[in-house]
Amino acid sequence: MATVLFRKLRLSGFGPYRDTVTCRLTCGVNTLIARNEAGKSSLVAGLMATIFGLPAKSDPGEFGHRRFKNWYGPSRFEGELEFEADGTVYK
């Protein structure tokens, strides 16, 4: 089985992140400590969305674009994940 390491997550217009935010990850356990409503869960949801995608649902109560797109008119709504699998880097 391949060893997979997440290296960098970049989100734009996702959840509370109107502008682009980049989270660099290291080998081992990564910890993010922040106040409530600072976007910790949004980073996890963004990671999942970049791997599996988001359904184009218009109901903000459901898991989809409408729920996670920033409310303040971001110029972009996208994510990018950089990861390494057995020494090969992918985006």
Side-chain angles (χ1 to χ4, degrees), residues 4-76:
V4 177
L5 302 170
F6 295 139
R7 300 172 95 192
K8 181 172 59 171
L9 174 64
R10 184 185 57 76
L11 299 173
S12 299
F14 194 91
Y17 308 113
R18 182 178 181 274
D19 298 317
T20 301
V21 63
T22 302
C23 181
R24 297 189 188 282
L25 304 164
T26 60
C27 184
V29 176
N30 290 264
T31 304
L32 175 63
I33 299 171
R35 61 180 170 72
N36 288 344
E37 299 299 319
K40 301 179 298 291
S41 296
S42 293
L43 280 176
V44 174
L47 174 65
M48 299 299 290
T50 58
I51 295 171
F52 300 110
L54 279 177
K57 303 225 177 194
S58 60
D59 182 356
E62 293 188 37
F63 188 78
H65 287 192
R66 179 78 173 175
R67 180 175 183 179
F68 290 105
K69 188 171 183 180
N70 184 276
W71 296 358
Y72 301 106
S75 59
R76 304 178 114 170

